[in-house]
Amino acid sequence: MTSHTSATAAIDPVKLDRLAEVAVKVGLDLQPGQDLVLTAPISALALVRRIAEHAYKAGAGLVTPIFSDDELTLARYRHAPDASFDRAEGWLYEGMAKAYAGNAARLAVRGDNPMLLAGEDPAKVSRANRATSTAYRPALEKITGFDINWNIVAFPTPAWAALVFPSEPEDIAVAKLADAIFAASRVDREDPVTAWKEHNAALARRTAWLNGKAFHALRFRGPGTDLTVGLADGHKWNGGAEMAKNGITCNPNIPTEEVFTTPHASRVEGHVTSTKPLSYQGTLIDQISVRFEGGRIVEASAARGADVLNKVLDTDEGARRLGEVALVPHSSPISQSGLLFYNTLFDENAASHIALGQCYSTCFADSNLSPLEVASRGGNCSLIHIDWMIGSGQIDIDGLDKDGNAEPVMRQGEWA
Ligand code: ZN
Ligand code: ZN
């Protein structure tokens, strides 16, 4: 049992308010008259209320929260009939898709217990995920296609804090996780909005350099890794603030340290070993080691969570291929914190990474490509998108041109 009120009292209210302000002004750049669809764990209510306040002050038309609750999720796994696990709230996701089609913005607050489903039947978990992924697709396409401004921020819930700081009492763990979130989200500064402008400018310089180079492939080398990742034809590097198709420039992830693009789904060769554990739907998958041939994973193992990894890889044809490659320097503040957050929003910003599954159609120089055009340029298609970390202070990365000539991109985890 957790007492949310007392744990929330351990969170600095000034910084929490700044996080809400940054989510609305930097994360979304919410426009007057724009509606906002918000999803959050119910234990993040304190942040959700502040976000709603800042949203309405910015001129929001309607702010609609949709809450989840850990106990309620567990009740389904313990007591729902078997057929429940092949179902999802299609009507809700269709409604979300309709809201986005009407230019509503989207904000997700993360903070759910990453290990919530660790003790539940993996077959049920995977059936439920599959049903949700399928039902969610119409709404997700509007997000991955960047039709609208969207943002993810995090809230230090007691269950999450207990996982990151297992030896601390609840209020101390929550306060420590809050500080880590605030620092990574740059709201520990007096003027976080200006700090984000400077950070976005630095990321824009990296993407401009990489886009100028237009590498044919990247080669990662280090302990347990020699991987060549072909880049999609006409790929574009993104990072930091980006303009959505509705013309609004937003920061989809807070925090963010990565620059990322779309790999070529059939031009990935070699082997790669993960450098951090992957927390996936309640299972920790550790020491992942895979081999690619012609873009497809042909061998996969993990020291821990191998069953779950193999189930994920069997989701669909695209689940064995890459949909994202991202570069993050080892000196990034999240990496330097040394914490494992058990949360992709943070952990993916601690190291260079690759993602299995769906690509971002926005990572192409030509905007508004159809799904067929994305595929013809090498963009991958899947129900899943799962990031895992392959960067560390021991990884060297080269950019390769069509003839295989190499140019240093990163050395020992830092920009060359
Ligand atoms: Zn990423
Ligand atoms: Zn990703």
Side-chain angles (χ1 to χ4, degrees):
M1 287 298 289
T2 51
S3 47
H4 297 147
T5 22
S6 71
T8 301
I11 301 168
D12 182 334
V14 175
K15 288 176 188 163
L16 188 68
D17 190 68
R18 278 190 205 145
L19 183 61
E21 186 181 1
V22 161
V24 171
K25 290 186 180 168
V26 177
L28 294 172
D29 191 17
L30 197 71
Q31 300 296 301
Q34 210 180 7
D35 290 348
L36 176 60
V37 176
L38 213 158
T39 54
I42 193 75
S43 48
L45 184 59
L47 177 61
V48 172
R49 285 179 173 158
R50 282 172 175 82
I51 289 170
E53 216 176 284
H54 283 285
Y56 282 123
K57 281 182 190 163
L62 285 174
V63 178
T64 306
I66 300 165
F67 289 106
S68 57
D69 175 61
D70 287 355
E71 297 290 323
L72 213 148
T73 302
L74 286 180
R76 180 185 179 200
Y77 279 90
R78 310 256 160 97
H79 306 296
D82 187 68
S84 167
F85 297 93
D86 296 315
R87 296 195 51 207
E89 301 87 342
W91 56 270
L92 178 64
Y93 301 121
E94 279 163 30
M96 280 183 172
K98 207 168 159 185
Y100 305 152
N103 200 37
R106 162 91 165 96
L107 199 150
V109 177
R110 289 285 155 76
D112 318 75
N113 176 2
M115 305 305 276
L116 183 69
L117 301 179
E120 305 308 316
D121 176 0
K124 281 185 180 173
V125 175
S126 118
R127 281 163 62 201
N129 285 339
R130 202 191 159 79
T132 300
S133 298
T134 307
Y136 188 43
R137 190 142 190 118
L140 185 64
E141 276 172 351
K142 300 236 179 328
I143 304 292
T144 56
F146 212 9
D147 287 24
I148 47 139
N149 45 331
W150 62 272
N151 172 240
I152 306 175
V153 287
F155 180 85
T157 63
W160 180 21
L163 198 64
V164 182
F165 299 102
S167 55
E168 302 287 3
E170 183 177 274
D171 54 339
I172 305 287
V174 167
K176 281 189 168 184
L177 181 57
D179 285 346
I181 291 170
F182 294 151
S185 308
R186 292 178 161 74
V187 298
D188 56 343
R189 339 251 168 126
E190 277 308 310
D191 185 356
V193 175
T194 302
W196 272 96
K197 277 199 182 108
E198 290 164 4
H199 182 47
N200 279 325
L203 290 169
R205 285 193 295 275
R206 297 291 180 212
T207 56
W209 182 76
L210 287 162
N211 286 328
K213 292 289 174 188
F215 290 122
H216 186 64
L218 295 179
R219 183 171 182 193
F220 293 76
R221 267 179 297 183
T225 291
D226 187 350
L227 182 73
T228 300
V229 178
L231 301 180
D233 304 332
H235 70 273
K236 181 174 73 123
W237 288 86
N238 285 339
E242 300 287 343
M243 193 196 284
K245 285 180 191 154
N246 66 0
I248 301 168
T249 299
C250 65
N251 264 92
N253 288 2
I254 287 185
T256 188
E257 304 289 337
E258 61 169 349
V259 297
F260 60 101
T261 194
T262 297
H264 196 292
S266 55
R267 285 202 290 107
V268 183
E269 305 289 340
H271 60 275
V272 58
T273 305
S274 64
T275 50
K276 283 173 185 286
L278 162 65
S279 166
Y280 177 72
Q281 317 269 6
T283 303
L284 214 58
I285 310 177
D286 202 4
Q287 293 174 47
I288 302 170
S289 182
V290 303
R291 193 165 64 81
F292 286 89
E293 258 179 37
R296 194 167 184 275
I297 291 178
V298 291
E299 273 171 36
S301 66
R304 189 177 163 186
D307 295 2
V308 176
L309 175 66
N310 280 302
K311 272 214 175 70
V312 166
L313 293 176
D314 288 338
T315 307
D316 52 25
E317 169 57 27
R320 286 182 179 269
R321 296 178 186 271
L322 295 187
E324 179 191 343
V325 57
L327 304 180
V328 179
H330 186 61
S331 59
S332 93
I334 297 170
S335 173
Q336 292 307 304
S337 79
L339 295 172
L340 178 64
F341 286 86
Y342 301 89
N343 180 314
T344 302
L345 179 61
F346 288 81
D347 293 327
E348 79 158 345
N349 283 301
S352 293
H353 55 272
I354 48 181
L356 301 171
Q358 180 65 39
C359 76
Y360 286 98
S361 61
T362 49
C363 288
F364 287 91
D366 293 337
S367 50
N368 289 316
L369 294 179
S370 70
L372 264 179
E373 290 168 319
V374 166
S376 74
R377 284 165 168 77
N380 193 30
C381 176
S382 173
L383 285 173
I384 64 158
H385 178 100
I386 299 170
D387 302 273
W388 51 285
M389 311 315 132
I390 62 168
S392 74
Q394 294 174 286
I395 296 283
D396 289 343
I397 304 171
D398 282 336
L400 306 178
D401 69 14
K402 262 200 158 69
D403 304 318
N405 300 309
E407 179 171 349
V409 174
M410 281 189 165
R411 284 292 174 267
Q412 303 291 292
E414 300 304 323
W415 290 103

